[in-house]
Amino acid sequence: MERPTHLLLAASSFLVIFSTFVSDRAGVVLAQNLTISVDVGVILDLGSMEGKRCRTSISMAIDDFYAAHRNYRTRIILHTRDSNQDDVGAASAAVDLLKNVQVQAIIGPQTSSQAEFVADLGNKTQIPILSFSATSPSLSSYRTPYFMRATFNDSSQAGAIAAIVEHFGWRELVPIYKDSDYGAGIIPSLTDALQDVEARVPYRSVISPSASDDQLDKELYKLMTMQTRVFVVHMTPGLGSRLFQRAKKLGMMTDDYAWITTDGITNLLDRLDPTVIDSMQGVIGVRPYVPRSKDIINLTAIFKARFRRENPTAEPTDPNVFQLWAYDAAWALAMAVEKVGAPSPVFQQRPSQIGNYSDLGKLGESHTGPKLLEAISKTRFHGLAGEFRLSNGQLQSSAFEIVNVNGKVGREIGFWTPVSGISRSPVSSKDRTGLKPVIWPGDSTTVPKGWQIPTNEKKLRIGVPVKQGFNEFVNVSRNPSTNEVTVTGYCIDVFEAVMQALPYAVPYEYVPYDDDESYDNFVYQVYDKKFDAVVGDVTIRFNRSLYVDFTLPYTESGVSMIVPVKEDKSKNTWIFLKPLTTDLWLGSLSFFFFTGFVVWVIEHRINKQFRGTPSQQLGLIFYFAFSTLVFAHKEKLESNLSRFAVIIWVFVVLILTSSYTASLTSMLTVQQLQPTVTDVNELLKNGEYIGYQDGSFVSEMLKGMNFGENKLRNYSTVDQYAQALRNGSAHGGVAAIFDEIPCLKVFLSKHGADYTMVGPTYKTVGFGFVFPRHSPLVPDVSRAVLSVTEGDIMTGIEKKWFGDQSASPSHSDSVSPASLNFQSFGGLFLITGAVSLLALLVFFAMFLYKNWKGATTSESSLWIKIVALAKCYDSKDLTSPTFKKKDEVIPNNGKLNQNGHAQGAVILPFFDGSQSPMSISNHSDINFASPDEGMSSMEPGSPRIRSPQAEAFEELSEIRIERAV
């Protein structure tokens, strides 16, 4: 019973397995019957390993896509053609695919030159051309809308290259590129990117695709004769490999050079021959950054296995970025095809194409092409190489990896993104900026400076002017026996000190330039490449900077004039008036009078010393005010208002007199000479002749100041300057000489006793060294100039050639001290004026408050009131403490009478105020009380109180008192 049971179980299991197999096969057959086949062409260079790898990648992508989407109703059928690494072959393959297969899309070709032909065919037939490796910017969807690039544009890496140049501080770069649209396509964007970082392209090296080794050597030798030592290589790997091998053989892979490769070579570093890699040691490369994800790791093993099956004789390698882009392009096309489908017929002729008997004319245009193009443009997914999203017909770059060829492979040293720039991590981080250490050609760790004086070229030819005068700056002498040229001078010493301060050696030789026409022509010799640089008393000028470059200046700047000086004869008689200007003299006198007037007004009613006849009072005003000048005023002031005003005024007088004394002292002791001319306008007005140094730009400047050319005279030496100034305009000389301040200082160091520098200083930049435009030496030499001028070296050079400048007559020694003006003391006068005026206003306010009602009545007219107030003001203020004096008791030897009074004392009459002073003064028989009369009503020892009205008789009373006693 047991065996039948086992047989039954076995039979049932077989039936289940068989039924499952039959159903699966039936489903596959049914699916095959329902799917729509879509023909797609593939054009590759199957004779190259890269083409074979890309074919494997594309076929894998199609298989993987439909394995993941079994229910899709479309199936891409690939038709691969070999371009034979030829542009015509690629075009022929495209025509075959379009005519005989009638494909609905084409993947490829590989190179940009092949893609240009195929893109035109696709544009005419409206068949999308999807390339994964044609990176030339000349291929554009604007010109050929049916060309789509599933890769980056070469222009996108220009920013990364410019960032590297800026990072290492290089200022020049020479691109070496293939003579094709692919090679030249990157140049415009690269040049613009370098300009943004203040770098330039002095030369472009174009290499023919079919260049022989001799032709490569010739071009490399030419590069060796140039100063620039930074090169960017943009060409195909085959041509680039030969270039680097020749460069190594010629000695151009040393520590003086810096090489940068674009992604065309950097993407295929692992495919290059070891001998090529050995010749590229120290090269920096740029390539798109693709993170190594798990999908790529899983794909790599499958890719190698399949590639080995399809190419048994080839060694499988890991897929590079081009294989990843090819995979993503095929995947994107499969997605787009599924969205569109494939209606039949594929091609249709337009009425305008009827009668066209060419192959493509007979073919017509694709009916599904526009829809498929739109579907591809809208396809979005995360592929192996990153986010797949086409914008303007191409992938958009996100990040670039920067590698350094070191050993057998490229070592990652950093990344670059358009947003964050250079960093050590693909993720933006402030503390990860910069690059990792670089091993440069020649196994050097020192960054190349980017330029070098060619060793196989002559020394730098430094032009120096042959001068007839002012040899302190440049002096060229020649030994008659040996004909040897010796160049000395201030400018030469500064230049040699600067060259020694450079961190590297620069060989040079001096070449005399004997042409007195102008310094502009001298400088222009650098532009004409007759000199490599110019050293001398050459001023930095705008018009010269248009065709040469200057270093930073090493002398002070400015143009001024020197004139003769004469003895100041006016000081013998009236020099005491010069310290103050006319406005200050008049202003001081006005305030003297005003202050005296204010004090008189306040003190007149309460101070005996400010009363008297009108002439006495007027004289008192002037006397009191001017006596404060020497602090000799003896009048006692009774009012606090006048005291406060006088205190402020005395302070002003103190400052004024001190300043006057200092200025007068300076004029009497320091100033001995006066310049004959101090103003340029005076020279123009008088039609004077003007001198300048021969060959100088100053002549053009003087013409711009409206001096006629017939009024200008040129001179060459210091002695000629002195002689011309001595002669003057009337005797064949000049009234003034204009020159740069360094030259004028040399002149004054020898003739400073008779001449002086006056007038305004017209701004110039100063002396500088001249180099060709964009010379890489200029930044380094300028920094060296700063180093020399800020140290003691410059001081020693100046003393050597110009002596001790502090001991020479200076500009200020010969110029008369400026007179003090009213504006200099405006603040002080404002303060004392305000205080005096305030005191005056307070006084009048108090006076009106006390006397308005008593002096006027309501019925009085305004005039009567004013007259009454004036009379009241003119009278004494009897309420003032000054006039409230007690009766005087005249003692008689200190003896008192029986009533307790001093014997013989005279008692002044007592007035009750009923009599007026005038009525009292008319009495001629004033009675004086005896010691015993009329005293009974007064307390013993009490003083006699004198009536206020008795003040008017004070003098008369004193006389009679003396007689009575």
Side-chain angles (χ1 to χ4, degrees):
M1 295 296 294
E2 195 170 300
R3 179 172 294 182
T5 303
H6 288 293
L7 291 175
L8 182 61
L9 289 175
S12 61
S13 299
F14 173 77
L15 290 174
V16 171
I17 294 173
F18 179 77
S19 62
T20 302
F21 172 78
V22 171
S23 62
D24 288 345
R25 293 295 300 167
V28 171
V29 171
L30 182 63
Q32 290 178 345
N33 293 333
L34 294 178
T35 57
I36 302 173
S37 297
V38 178
D39 296 314
V40 172
V42 179
I43 302 177
L44 299 172
D45 295 333
L46 297 179
S48 67
M49 293 302 298
E50 196 65 20
K52 294 177 181 179
R53 294 187 184 97
C54 291
R55 180 182 60 183
T56 300
S57 181
I58 293 171
S59 59
M60 280 185 61
I62 298 300
D63 293 346
D64 292 347
F65 179 82
Y66 291 116
H69 306 90
R70 292 177 176 274
N71 58 334
Y72 278 12
R73 58 190 180 90
T74 57
R75 291 293 184 274
I76 287 179
I77 306 300
L78 297 176
H79 301 272
T80 305
R81 298 290 185 271
D82 186 5
S83 65
N84 296 314
Q85 301 184 20
D86 181 67
D87 296 347
V88 177
S92 177
V95 171
D96 175 63
L97 291 171
L98 292 172
K99 177 183 177 182
N100 299 323
V101 183
Q102 293 192 354
V103 294
Q104 297 189 37
I106 294 177
I107 300 176
Q110 285 181 246
T111 66
S112 297
S113 58
Q114 295 173 6
E116 187 172 358
F117 285 93
V118 176
D120 288 336
L121 294 175
N123 204 46
K124 291 179 180 179
T125 58
Q126 294 187 355
I127 293 296
I129 308 298
L130 187 60
S131 175
F132 56 86
S133 57
T135 58
S136 174
S138 61
L139 294 169
S140 170
S141 61
Y142 294 105
R143 188 171 64 88
T144 53
Y146 283 84
F147 174 79
M148 310 194 76
R149 185 173 11 227
T151 181
F152 297 155
N153 188 327
D154 277 338
S155 299
S156 60
Q157 61 188 321
I161 296 172
I164 295 173
V165 172
E166 182 183 29
H167 178 76
F168 292 112
W170 299 324
R171 289 292 174 262
E172 288 186 349
L173 177 146
V174 172
I176 306 174
Y177 57 92
K178 181 181 179 181
D179 188 10
S180 64
D181 290 340
Y182 162 75
I186 194 177
I187 299 303
S189 56
L190 178 61
T191 303
D192 293 341
L194 291 173
Q195 288 180 349
D196 292 339
V197 298
E198 299 181 356
R200 56 183 292 269
V201 176
Y203 176 74
R204 300 177 184 182
S205 178
V206 184
I207 305 296
S208 171
S210 58
S212 63
D213 287 349
D214 291 339
Q215 291 173 324
L216 289 176
D217 291 349
K218 181 179 179 180
E219 184 64 23
L220 291 174
Y221 273 123
K222 185 176 182 180
L223 295 177
M224 293 175 65
T225 63
M226 301 179 182
Q227 291 185 347
T228 307
R229 289 292 183 265
V230 181
F231 307 106
V232 171
V233 180
H234 180 63
M235 53 185 61
T236 57
L239 185 58
S241 299
R242 294 176 53 216
L243 177 75
F244 280 108
Q245 287 178 315
R246 301 311 302 173
K248 181 176 178 62
K249 185 176 181 180
L250 297 179
M252 296 181 68
M253 300 304 295
T254 60
D255 54 2
D256 293 334
Y257 293 85
W259 296 82
I260 303 174
T261 59
T262 60
D263 63 346
I265 296 177
T266 312
N267 282 329
L268 301 176
L269 284 176
D270 56 343
R271 307 286 196 267
L272 298 179
D273 189 87
T275 59
V276 176
I277 293 295
D278 181 65
S279 65
M280 292 179 62
Q281 295 297 303
V283 172
I284 292 179
V286 175
R287 64 188 179 192
Y289 172 63
V290 178
R292 190 166 180 80
S293 61
K294 292 182 179 180
D295 293 337
I296 295 177
I297 296 174
N298 296 333
L299 175 75
T300 299
I302 302 174
F303 176 85
K304 287 183 176 181
R306 183 162 182 165
F307 182 80
R308 186 179 291 106
R309 289 197 305 270
E310 295 176 353
N311 305 277
T313 60
E315 181 67 23
T317 58
D318 293 348
N320 59 26
V321 67
F322 289 116
Q323 280 87 65
L324 299 180
W325 279 332
Y327 187 99
D328 289 346
W331 190 283
L333 182 59
M335 293 179 65
V337 166
E338 180 63 23
K339 293 179 181 179
V340 175
S344 183
V346 178
F347 290 96
Q348 293 181 349
Q349 280 190 329
R350 291 184 179 180
S352 60
Q353 294 176 321
I354 297 176
N356 188 342
Y357 297 103
S358 64
D359 290 341
L360 294 179
K362 294 178 181 179
L363 188 61
E365 296 177 348
S366 172
H367 180 72
T368 59
K371 296 179 181 179
L372 185 59
L373 179 70
E374 182 180 4
I376 295 174
S377 301
K378 294 181 179 180
T379 299
R380 305 282 189 276
F381 66 95
H382 188 77
L384 293 177
E387 189 68 23
F388 187 93
R389 181 176 62 86
L390 301 182
S391 177
N392 297 323
Q394 63 185 10
L395 282 180
Q396 299 302 304
S397 60
S398 56
F400 283 90
E401 182 183 14
I402 303 173
V403 299
N404 179 212
V405 179
N406 184 233
K408 297 181 180 181
V409 294
R411 178 176 57 90
E412 171 203 300
I413 59 174
F415 300 87
W416 178 87
T417 62
V419 177
S420 304
I422 289 179
S423 63
R424 296 190 179 187
S425 171
V427 181
S428 178
S429 177
K430 293 183 178 180
D431 57 347
R432 301 278 295 171
T433 58
L435 294 174
K436 297 176 183 178
V438 179
I439 306 298
W440 300 98
D443 292 331
S444 173
T445 57
T446 302
V447 178
K449 60 178 178 290
W451 67 273
Q452 185 71 31
I453 302 298
T455 56
N456 56 348
E457 194 180 32
K458 295 181 180 179
K459 298 178 181 180
L460 287 181
R461 290 170 53 85
I462 309 298
V464 292
V466 178
K467 299 173 64 68
Q468 301 301 321
F470 293 95
N471 298 121
E472 291 83 359
F473 294 105
V474 178
N475 183 28
V476 179
S477 59
R478 189 182 299 272
N479 191 320
S481 58
T482 63
N483 205 30
E484 181 182 359
V485 175
T486 303
V487 183
T488 58
Y490 167 77
C491 298
I492 302 301
D493 284 358
V494 173
F495 178 74
E496 292 180 350
V498 168
M499 290 295 102
Q500 292 177 4
L502 292 175
Y504 44 83
V506 178
Y508 58 88
E509 61 180 355
Y510 296 115
V511 180
Y513 178 77
D514 191 2
D515 188 347
D516 295 336
E517 184 175 351
S518 74
Y519 268 40
D520 287 342
N521 291 339
F522 180 35
V523 171
Y524 201 78
Q525 303 305 308
V526 177
Y527 180 78
D528 283 344
K529 298 183 179 180
K530 294 181 179 179
F531 296 132
D532 298 312
V534 159
V535 174
D537 51 339
V538 181
T539 303
I540 302 172
R541 300 284 293 170
F542 169 74
N543 63 316
R544 297 170 181 173
S545 68
L546 297 176
Y547 46 87
V548 296
D549 278 350
F550 287 93
T551 64
L552 291 177
Y554 58 90
T555 63
E556 61 180 315
S557 62
V559 172
S560 190
M561 69 175 179
I562 51 174
V563 297
V565 293
K566 61 182 179 179
E567 186 178 357
D568 185 13
K569 299 180 180 179
S570 61
K571 74 176 185 178
N572 297 331
T573 305
W574 301 104
I575 194 172
F576 70 92
L577 294 176
K578 282 194 172 182
L580 307 184
T581 58
T582 303
D583 60 343
L584 183 54
W585 278 115
L586 295 177
S588 301
L589 291 174
S590 300
F591 272 89
F592 271 109
F593 177 76
F594 176 68
T595 304
F597 174 74
V598 170
V599 173
W600 174 82
V601 169
I602 297 174
E603 294 288 330
H604 178 65
R605 300 191 70 235
I606 61 174
N607 197 328
K608 293 187 301 179
Q609 295 178 344
F610 286 85
R611 300 187 66 82
T613 63
S615 61
Q616 291 176 333
Q617 295 182 57
L618 182 62
L620 181 63
I621 291 175
F622 284 99
Y623 170 76
F624 177 82
F626 283 97
S627 64
T628 59
L629 188 62
V630 291
F631 312 104
H633 52 287
K634 297 181 180 180
E635 292 76 12
K636 181 180 179 182
L637 302 179
E638 299 293 344
S639 173
N640 288 332
L641 293 175
S642 59
R643 292 170 182 167
F644 182 58
V646 169
I647 288 174
I648 301 300
W649 172 244
V650 169
F651 174 72
V652 174
V653 169
L654 175 64
I655 296 178
L656 187 63
T657 54
S658 300
S659 301
Y660 173 86
T661 303
S663 181
L664 181 60
T665 302
S666 176
M667 290 182 177
L668 291 173
T669 58
V670 178
Q671 178 210 2
Q672 300 296 331
L673 300 173
Q674 285 286 344
T676 55
V677 180
T678 58
D679 189 9
V680 176
N681 294 325
E682 185 178 351
L683 295 172
L684 288 168
K685 181 180 179 181
N686 298 334
E688 302 283 1
Y689 285 92
I690 305 299
Y692 65 93
Q693 186 177 168
D694 191 21
S696 173
F697 70 93
V698 176
S699 61
E700 297 299 325
M701 190 186 76
L702 292 173
K703 293 176 184 177
M705 296 165 60
N706 298 323
F707 285 102
E709 188 171 359
N710 61 333
K711 294 294 182 180
L712 302 180
R713 293 173 175 173
N714 58 313
Y715 303 97
S716 299
T717 66
V718 171
D719 294 335
Q720 290 178 359
Y721 274 17
Q723 185 62 42
L725 290 170
R726 279 195 298 267
N727 293 339
S729 294
H731 300 89
V734 294
I737 287 181
F738 282 79
D739 206 341
E740 295 175 85
I741 289 179
C743 298
L744 295 182
K745 285 191 172 182
V746 171
F747 174 82
L748 291 175
S749 65
K750 299 180 178 180
H751 301 278
D754 301 320
Y755 307 96
T756 185
M757 192 190 312
V758 296
T761 298
Y762 301 93
K763 189 67 175 177
T764 60
V765 181
F767 295 167
F769 303 125
V770 184
F771 287 91
R773 290 274 289 172
H774 308 296
S775 170
L777 273 172
V778 172
D780 292 339
V781 173
S782 294
R783 281 187 284 269
V785 167
L786 290 177
S787 175
V788 171
T789 55
E790 292 176 356
D792 296 332
I793 299 176
M794 198 67 174
T795 304
I797 296 174
E798 290 176 349
K799 286 184 178 181
K800 174 183 176 182
W801 292 103
F802 306 135
D804 189 358
Q805 293 290 324
S806 61
S808 302
S810 65
H811 186 173
S812 59
D813 289 337
S814 300
V815 178
S816 59
S819 299
L820 303 173
N821 55 32
F822 184 82
Q823 188 177 4
S824 303
F825 299 90
L828 292 174
F829 284 123
L830 178 63
I831 293 173
T832 185
V835 170
S836 298
L837 185 60
L838 179 62
L840 191 62
L841 294 176
V842 171
F843 168 76
F844 277 123
M846 296 173 59
F847 172 74
L848 293 176
Y849 177 77
K850 291 181 180 180
N851 299 283
W852 181 261
K853 292 183 179 180
T856 61
T857 60
S858 58
E859 295 81 5
S860 303
S861 63
L862 178 61
W863 177 251
I864 294 175
K865 292 180 179 179
I866 293 175
V867 172
L869 287 173
K871 290 181 179 181
C872 182
Y873 171 76
D874 190 53
S875 64
K876 296 180 179 180
D877 185 2
L878 301 179
T879 63
S880 171
T882 305
F883 299 112
K884 282 187 176 180
K885 294 183 179 179
K886 301 177 181 179
D887 288 338
E888 296 180 6
V889 180
I890 302 175
N892 184 12
N893 298 326
K895 298 182 179 179
L896 300 177
N897 59 16
Q898 60 182 357
N899 293 325
H901 298 287
Q903 295 182 3
V906 180
I907 308 301
L908 295 177
F910 177 81
F911 298 93
D912 58 4
S914 60
Q915 299 103 327
S916 66
M918 292 300 296
S919 62
I920 297 173
S921 63
N922 291 331
H923 293 282
S924 61
D925 54 347
I926 299 177
N927 296 321
F928 294 90
S930 64
D932 297 329
E933 293 181 10
M935 306 299 294
S936 59
S937 61
M938 303 183 67
E939 294 295 331
S942 63
R944 301 299 185 184
I945 306 300
R946 183 175 55 181
S947 173
Q949 289 83 346
E951 186 68 21
F953 302 97
E954 181 177 358
E955 295 180 2
L956 180 60
S957 300
E958 290 178 353
I959 295 173
R960 294 191 177 183
I961 289 171
E962 291 176 0
R963 291 178 182 177
V965 174

